[in-house]
Amino acid sequence: MSENGWPADRIDTGSAHSARIYDYLLGGKDHYRADQEAGEALRREWPSLPVSMRANRDWMHRVVRHLAREEGIGQFLDIGTGIPTSPNLHEIAQAETPAARVVYVDNDPIVLTLSQGLLASTPEGRTAYVEADLRDPAAILGSPELLETLDLGRPVAVTVLAILHFIEGEEEARGLLRRLLEPLPPGSFLALSTATGDFAPEEVGRAAAVYHSRGIPMVLRSADQVARFFDGLELVGPGVTQAHRWRPDPAQGPAVADREVAMYCGVARKPA
């Protein structure tokens, strides 16, 4: 066992992991020295990175509320969940729809170990956790945990948040999304966010280089490239935009400057 009580034989504690870097930069405690060092290197290159990460997290809250409240979605498939940080997606969804069902997916064994925080469902709803990789949609969609939790004959919202920038090829990334949405019925949704260098190209470019130097490929995409992820779907207004500009909630605090947010996002419906 590792010093944190996690199965040491399954965790590479000497290499940084994107989920644990995210945890460190947001003030969490579930990371190792390699993640902390990577986080500090990233912050030196782009001090606004934690601001951008929080903007992405706040956007997740807003989009899940929108999908549950305005679109009537009661089933969610969250891929690339990351280390639990309350409120988690199911808490947001079930606050709107107590019977909502959520399946979380991640490939980091630490997330699996901490998944109890993701499984505290309301009595009316249900949550489940699948240990799988975005690169294997068949394993995700065919997992017993998913099939026991979600009804794939009814609309599902697939959320792919802050994870696609770790998929390098454009065709590969689009293909993965197509395969995830293919078996889902019309009225299902895709919500995604991914990194961009459009608003602070030098600083964000240096941060991406830090990820690369630690064995974590990172692709910065333009608005046009992100828009292509929604080909064949019906974008919900305001379309592809920065995370903090997607239906902002004035109650969330002072406005964030564009140059501090390196995340594009969008939400779209699968048509009939």
Side-chain angles (χ1 to χ4, degrees):
M1 299 293 283
S2 71
E3 62 184 14
N4 300 63
W6 298 316
D9 60 329
R10 296 199 58 212
I11 298 172
D12 179 2
T13 62
S15 301
H17 187 284
S18 57
R20 301 195 303 260
I21 295 171
Y22 190 93
D23 176 77
Y24 172 72
L25 288 170
L26 290 182
K29 57 182 177 56
D30 299 306
H31 50 263
Y32 292 96
R33 182 180 297 276
D35 309 304
Q36 180 177 345
E37 290 173 350
E40 286 305 313
L42 286 162
R43 188 150 45 192
R44 283 194 298 273
E45 298 299 345
W46 190 42
S48 294
L49 179 55
V51 176
S52 185
M53 288 177 166
R54 282 192 291 272
N56 181 71
R57 188 80 187 172
D58 290 343
W59 172 72
M60 183 273 282
H61 295 174
R62 297 195 305 278
V63 75
V64 171
R65 285 193 197 99
H66 170 81
L67 290 168
R69 184 186 301 170
E70 307 297 332
E71 305 289 355
I73 295 295
Q75 301 191 110
F76 293 82
L77 173 58
D78 183 51
I79 300 174
T81 296
I83 290 168
T85 302
S86 187
N88 292 296
L89 189 150
H90 75 279
E91 296 172 271
I92 302 295
Q94 291 178 347
E96 299 294 334
T97 305
R101 295 186 165 213
V102 177
V103 172
Y104 291 106
V105 179
D106 206 286
N107 67 348
D108 183 351
I110 286 182
V111 180
L112 172 63
T113 304
L114 296 170
S115 65
Q116 280 308 113
L118 302 173
L119 301 178
S121 172
T122 59
E124 305 96 320
R126 189 168 176 184
T127 63
Y129 181 86
V130 176
E131 186 176 13
D133 195 295
L134 168 62
R135 293 177 177 84
D136 192 354
I140 295 170
L141 294 168
S143 67
E145 296 90 346
L146 183 146
L147 295 173
E148 291 167 6
T149 305
L150 303 182
D151 176 359
L152 299 187
R154 295 171 48 234
V156 176
V158 178
T159 57
V160 186
L161 312 182
I163 191 74
L164 276 177
H165 43 251
F166 300 123
I167 304 293
E168 292 185 274
E170 298 305 298
E171 284 301 322
E172 180 185 6
R174 288 195 293 271
L176 292 172
L177 295 175
R178 282 195 301 270
R179 288 159 60 195
L180 285 167
L181 290 171
E182 216 164 50
L184 303 183
S188 293
F189 282 82
L190 171 65
L192 69 83
S193 62
T194 192
T196 182
D198 284 359
F199 301 94
E202 291 185 12
E203 296 92 331
V204 176
R206 291 197 301 267
V210 171
Y211 274 108
H212 276 279
S213 72
R214 283 161 170 77
I216 305 172
M218 187 176 194
V219 181
L220 303 175
R221 292 184 167 97
S222 68
D224 287 344
Q225 288 175 306
V226 176
R228 290 205 61 193
F229 290 142
F230 297 103
D231 284 354
L233 305 176
E234 299 169 347
L235 271 166
V236 171
V240 172
T241 186
Q242 283 177 281
H244 65 301
R245 291 189 173 276
W246 196 94
R247 304 191 180 204
D249 180 357
Q252 285 187 330
V256 176
D258 288 353
R259 66 180 179 278
E260 293 186 293
V261 179
M263 299 296 291
Y264 277 130
C265 69
V267 182
R269 179 187 297 103
K270 183 175 180 177

